Structure formats: structure tokens, C-alpha cells
Amino acid sequence: MPVRKSQSGQVGRGKGFGLGLAVGSAFAFGGSGVAAKPLIEAGLDPLHVVWLRVAGAALVMLPLAVRHRALLRERPALLAGFGLLGVAGVQAFYFASISRIPVGVALLVEYLAPALVLGWVRFVQRRPVTRAAAVGVILAVGGLACVVEVWAGLSFDALGLLLALGAACCQVGYFVLSDQGSDSGERAPDPLGVIAYGLLVGAAVLTVVARPWNMDWTVLAGTADMDGTPVSAGLLLAWIVLIATVLAYVTGVVSVRRLSPQVAGVVACLEAVVATVLAWFLLGEHLSAPQIVGGAVVLAGAFIAQSSAPAKTSAEPVASGGPERELSARGNVA
């Protein structure tokens, strides 16, 4: 009996630690846009900021890539999908969108991804989804209408909104890709190794697309304006690479191993809240009352869509484990 108590206490402490890591990961990811936007406004192209973020993180994670080099032979499609969609695609679209619309709005649009995943499952794969999950989708879409103020004829830059939607679609593409074969019984690849190689693939792709040799490197030696306060550009870049990417990914992955995918995915919704609050106080990007209400509805919809779907089984093939697991491991690759 004492042994059971000890094991129960260890499990409880493990879950508490995992929850703390999940919250920390959401906070780390949430600060990426706030740190990146001043660099973009200082003169760096959004693609160049994305390249700096991904290439810097790939360099830090290189030892892990060497350690898990067998993944190149075992899971090449998964590594390519993570690199192209989960890293390069999401980051490029997200950073391009925040150059045109507020950080909070861009991230809330990106949080349509869980709803879009369920749409893919229901209408493309023709698998059933729970009624509660469908309600979550409706809430998310309705909340987004408030965020972008459709009654005002889309008061935000239409291209910026489309770019944010592109980030959400890249998330969906990666979720669907990574979910393939998840029921095959094969040994799951180490997620840290997948992240390391995904960053390397993303960096390689972005090098071709962004052409960093044309970047104005002098911007990094100066300061960037953060709502009237000059901040070292090098410090902002260090935050983006070390905290908002490396630390965010690693803590997110470890938290998933200690929590259920559903719980970790729901905690990841804090990312949008953190990004919106930080943008409000640090960048002066204020949202109106209807937008705040709409943002809360979007998050509620994402919460319901993720937490209501049961674990995937052969009897009830609702796609929930794969997308939610990857979402919580990523946080919002934003």
C-alpha cells in the first residue's frame, strides 16, 4: 500500500511538472511575434527573420540531429513534412502576416488549424468526428469573424489575413502528414530528433527562398523600436532563436510525454493569449472589445475541438491523437 502511494505521488508530481513545462512552452512561443515584428519594422525582410530564427535554432539543435541520424533512413517523409510545413511554411507565413496585421490577430487566425484539421478528417477522409468537436469548429469560425470585424468589410489588411490563414493551412498539412501510419504499430520516432531535422530541412529550404546573402546584416548591429523603446536587435534575435524556438520546442515535447496530448494541446492555447497580451503592452497593438470577445471564442472553439475528440482507436477512427500531439509539441510554430 505505501508503494502505491509513492507511485501516485510521483505521477502527480510528474503531471504537475509537465503542466508547468507546457505553460512555459506556450509563453515562450507566444513571445516570438513580439520580438520579430520590431526587427521587420527595422528593415529586415520577414523571410530573412524566419531564416535567422530557423537557421539559428538548427545550429543549436545540430548535436541532436547527429545523435538521431538514423531518422534520415527510417522517417524521411516525416522529416520533410516537418521541415517544409511545420517549420518553413508556418514560420514564413506567420512572420509575413505580422508584418501587415497585429500579432494577436495573426495568431488567432492561425489557431483555426485545429478546426481545419477536423474539417479534413470529416469531409476528405470521411471519418466521424464528435458533435462537441463540430461545435468547437463553429465557435472558432464565428469568433474569427469577430476578430477580423467582417461587419466593417475586413478592417485588417486582406493579404495579411490570407498569409495568417496560410500558416494555419501549413499546420494542417503537417498534422495530416504526421498522422499517416500512426496506427501501424511502428516504434515512434524520438520527437527531439524530428524537431532537430525539421529545423535543418526548414533552414535549407528557407536559404533558397529567402536568399540571406541579400540581407541587410547591419540591422542586427543596431537597435529596433519596440513601441518607442529602442531594444538591441541582437538581443531580440537571441530571444527568438533560444527562447521562442529551441526552448519552446523542447519544453513542449517533454510536456507531451508527461501529459495527455489533449491536455498539452489545450494548454498550448495560452500561446495566443500570451502573444496578444505582449503585443498590447510591448507593441501598443490594442484590440477592440468585439475583437477580444472574438478571440476568446476562437480559443474556446480550439479548446473544445481538441479536448472533445476521443483517443483514436480501431473502433472509433476519429483523428485526434496525431494532430493534437503534434500541435502541443509545436505549440504554434509561430
Side-chain angles (χ1 to χ4, degrees), residues 184-282:
S184 62
E186 298 179 4
R187 181 177 61 86
D190 189 292
L192 292 178
V194 174
I195 289 172
Y197 274 105
L199 289 168
L200 285 172
V201 171
V205 172
L206 289 169
T207 298
V208 176
V209 176
R211 300 180 179 181
W213 49 86
N214 294 329
M215 180 169 48
D216 184 4
W217 292 88
T218 60
V219 173
L220 298 177
T223 60
D225 181 80
M226 184 174 281
D227 195 27
T229 302
V231 180
S232 168
L235 181 62
L236 291 174
L237 178 61
W239 175 276
I240 293 171
V241 172
L242 298 177
I243 305 299
T245 306
V246 176
L247 180 64
Y249 270 115
V250 172
T251 53
V253 167
V254 175
S255 73
V256 174
R257 293 196 167 193
R258 293 177 178 267
L259 302 170
S260 68
Q262 287 84 358
V263 172
V266 167
V267 174
C269 291
L270 283 174
E271 178 188 345
V273 178
V274 171
T276 302
V277 172
L278 289 178
W280 190 308
F281 285 101
L282 298 180

Side-chain angles (χ1 to χ4, degrees), residues 13 37 46 50 74 105 124 191 220 244 248 260 333:
R13 286 193 296 272
K37 190 156 188 173
V50 175
E74 297 172 356
V105 173
V124 178
L220 298 177
S260 68
V333 277

Side-chain angles (χ1 to χ4, degrees), residues 111-112 114-115 136-137 139-140 265-266 269 297-307:
Y111 259 81
L112 281 178
V137 173
L139 283 176
V266 167
C269 291
V297 174
V298 170
L299 295 180
F303 178 98
I304 294 172
Q306 291 185 72
S307 61

